[in-house]
Structure formats: structure tokens, C-alpha cells
Amino acid sequence: MVQGILTQVREWRKREGSARRGSNSGEAGLLWRPAAGWHRLWLLCVLMLCFWSPAHAARVRIEKDAPPPPPPDLLLPAGRKLSFERTFESDQEVGRKRGFLTKLVDIVIGEPDRHRLMRPYGIAVDSRGRAIVTDPGAAGIHIFDFAQHKYKFIERRDKDENSLRAPQSVAVDAEDNIYATDSEGGRIFVFNAEGKFKRTIGSLRHGEGYFKRPTGIAVDSAAQRIYVTDTLRDKIFVLDMEGHVLQTIGTSGSQPGEFNFPTELLLHGNEIAVVDAMNFRVQVFDRSGKLQYMVGTAGDGPGTFFRPKGIAFDSEGHLYVVDAAWSTVQVFNQQGDLLYYFGTRGAGPGTFELPSGLFITRDDRVYVVDSYNSRVQVFHYFAKRSAGGEQ
């Protein structure tokens, strides 16, 4: 009898999962269902408890060990500090709090399948506060909407030349449209704010394309411009919103203003910051392409780079640079002086394993893509306090 009840519960879970996600949308999250369905499930659970034998009780999972404590706040000069806030890695973190009944079903038949980060790379946070994470390991893009308790997974497979193969960096425009580079396909994929495919950029009429390996991307909605690094061409392409090339910046080399495998790119005010990966530095240009300053050099210690990845600026104009090899985030001023760094290699809170993408919101929340730990970690930077004690 218990086996029959378990079968009915599994079928209910399967129907609920299909209703949540749909065949293509990938949307998940815990949703309320009609009361009659819950009444039936409640009756089934009561019957299960009545007939639960010690053999079935042995299937209850032992409560997991308490998670490791978060790292202590990093205290900085003038009342500044950096605090660890949270980690997220699956659609489970965006759902509403799970009730007793749902947890009971999980104990008996196991938790439902989850959409998890596999090998995430890039991240952007849109005007709604949604975290948009590219995942070349899953060949798709995750959208975590914590405010609305919603999750969506974007994928385009078996679509010929419009298949999304290896999404890398991601940016959003003023309307929260999503722009993601596909380094393998040599294109930029554009989706609307709800994740619906709109178009690709980078394919000419006869399909030859003009990107070899697009990586970093930034969108300036006010100026109607898209900026893209082509890592194999050692150039920045400046496009209009239709994808027409208006300008290129840079050439191959190691001199100031030249590139050797440029990767990530970021707009900051009137400046363009570019990770010049194999020259082990970040170069900052004005919008015309004139070099303003450089940060970093090759080395094996703090203040130097080995595998620079994501970049971002906080509200005070400090430049943050992820170094995947050192598993750290280093913070510099515009003179190139190292202010501080955080992180080390590991799997606990505040540690990283080959980190990649980086994004800082207007309220100084620092999102770090912890790629080989298959998660995103969130920190909060508190800026300098004024004389009155306010930040």
C-alpha cells in the first residue's frame, strides 16, 4: 500500500514540475496550487505516516551538517568594509520558503530536479535586480529573480546557425534586453527581458560572420552603441544597435593601447575598461579609443595578474579585477595602486575556484562568479563614511 501511495505522490510531483517549467521555457519556482490538489496530497501523506515502517523510516536522510560560517568582515580605512552576504547556485534559492508538507514529500521520495549552475562564466544584474548568469557548461543562460521568486533558463539548441553554444559575457540595455556573446558560434545573441529570442548580431548575409571569438560586451543605450571585444582579432568592435560596425579600437601588440587576447570589457562613465589578458593588465580608454591609463602587470603576488577575468567599478571608482589563477578579487585605484584584495582558493564561503565574471550594482553589491565551484557569491562593499558617520 505504501508503495502505491509513493507512486501517486511521484506522479503528482511530476505533474507539478511540468506545470512549473513547461517544455521549453525552463521557468521554475514554487507556486501555489488549487486547494483540492493539496487536500489530496495531505491525505496521501497522512496515510504514508500511518503505514510507515522502520524500513521506510531508514530512508529519511540524516540532517546535513551545519554550513561553514561566513568569513569575517574585511575592515578597511575610513570606515569602509566588505561583508559576505550569500551564495546561490540553483533555482532553489529563488523559491518561496518550503513548507512542512513539501519537506515531508522531499524526505520520502527525494527532492525534485533542480536547475543548477554547471560552469558559469559571466554575470549582469538588470534594473529589476535579476541576476543573469551565462553558463557555457549548460549551454544556456540562467535568470534568477529573487524579488519575484522566479527562475528561468534560456537555451537555443538544434537551431542551426542560431544555436547558442557557449555563452560567455552578458550585458543588458535600458529595457533589460539581454545581450550574450557566444565565443564558439562567433555571434551575439539578443533576448528580450523575458528571455525570448530576438536576433543575432555577427552574421552577414552569406553567413561568413565578422567575429572570430567575441567575449566581452557592453551596451550604451543612450548613445545606441554596442561594444564587443574580439579576443582572436585583438580588437574592440563598436557597433550600432543593428550590428553595423562603426569603429574598431586596438591592434595586436604589447605596447600601450595594443592588445594580446582582450577578453572582458566594461563601460564606466565616459571610459571603456578592457582586460588585456595576455598582456596581464587592464587598459582604460575614452570613447574615442584614446588610452587613459593602465593597471596591472604580470607577476605571482598581490598587485599583479596571471589570469585576469571579470572587472567592475564600485561607487568610489575603485577597479575590481578577478584573477582566476590566484582565486582572488583585487581592488585598485586609478593610479594602479593595490588597495586590498579578498578571496583565496577553496570551496567555503568567501573562497573561490577559478572565479570568472564580476558585477557591482549601484548599491555596491559585488557579485563574483565562482566558476568551478558552480555558484555565485555576493558581497557588500560599504563605502567611506562621512564626517557625520553616514555612508
Side-chain angles (χ1 to χ4, degrees), residues 160-221:
D160 299 322
E161 71 276 7
N162 286 330
S163 292
L164 183 61
R165 302 175 188 175
Q168 293 289 306
S169 299
V170 61
V172 294
D173 64 18
E175 305 298 324
D176 287 336
N177 293 307
I178 300 167
Y179 299 72
T181 55
D182 185 341
S183 62
E184 185 176 324
R187 294 174 176 83
I188 300 168
F189 282 75
V190 184
F191 302 89
N192 70 13
E194 306 309 318
K196 183 178 180 181
F197 173 74
K198 296 181 69 175
R199 59 194 172 99
T200 59
I201 297 173
S203 298
L204 302 184
R205 180 173 298 176
H206 301 292
E208 64 271 29
Y210 52 75
F211 296 127
K212 283 189 175 181
R213 184 179 293 172
T215 306
I217 187 167
V219 180
D220 184 341
S221 295

Side-chain angles (χ1 to χ4, degrees), residues 276 279-283 293-299 301-306 308 319 321 323 330 332-338:
D276 189 10
N279 282 326
F280 310 101
R281 64 191 180 190
V282 175
Q283 300 196 74
Y293 63 94
M294 299 185 295
V295 173
T297 185
T304 65
F305 300 141
F306 188 68
L319 173 64
V321 184
D323 196 303
Q330 302 188 68
F332 300 85
N333 61 20
Q334 291 190 5
Q335 289 70 47
D337 301 320
L338 178 67

Side-chain angles (χ1 to χ4, degrees), residues 266-288:
L266 179 70
L267 298 180
H268 178 243
N270 293 319
E271 296 177 332
I272 309 166
V274 185
V275 175
D276 189 10
M278 297 307 294
N279 282 326
F280 310 101
R281 64 191 180 190
V282 175
Q283 300 196 74
V284 181
F285 302 82
D286 64 18
R287 295 298 182 96
S288 69

Side-chain angles (χ1 to χ4, degrees), residues 208-265:
E208 64 271 29
Y210 52 75
F211 296 127
K212 283 189 175 181
R213 184 179 293 172
T215 306
I217 187 167
V219 180
D220 184 341
S221 295
Q224 293 288 284
R225 296 290 183 267
I226 302 171
Y227 297 79
V228 185
T229 56
D230 192 322
T231 300
L232 296 184
R233 290 188 185 275
D234 293 325
K235 291 182 182 296
I236 300 171
F237 283 87
V238 185
L239 317 172
D240 65 18
M241 300 304 287
E242 299 303 317
H244 302 116
V245 179
L246 304 176
Q247 178 187 359
T248 63
I249 300 172
T251 187
S252 299
S254 59
Q255 296 301 310
E258 297 176 342
F259 296 122
N260 187 4
F261 277 65
T263 54
E264 300 308 307
L265 177 148

Side-chain angles (χ1 to χ4, degrees), residues 67-129:
D73 291 349
L74 181 60
L75 302 180
L76 303 166
R80 300 177 177 93
K81 70 176 180 178
L82 184 81
S83 299
F84 174 85
E85 282 201 345
R86 62 177 303 184
T87 294
F88 62 90
E89 58 189 31
S90 76
D91 61 352
Q92 183 174 7
E93 281 90 358
V94 302
R96 292 182 173 87
K97 187 176 180 181
R98 299 171 69 79
F100 168 77
L101 183 59
T102 308
K103 291 180 179 178
L104 179 61
V105 174
D106 289 346
I107 289 173
V108 177
I109 66 173
E111 294 185 5
D113 293 336
R114 293 291 180 188
H115 284 278
R116 297 184 179 277
L117 297 174
M118 295 180 64
R119 185 165 50 85
Y121 184 87
I123 186 169
V125 178
D126 68 10
S127 66
R128 310 180 194 182

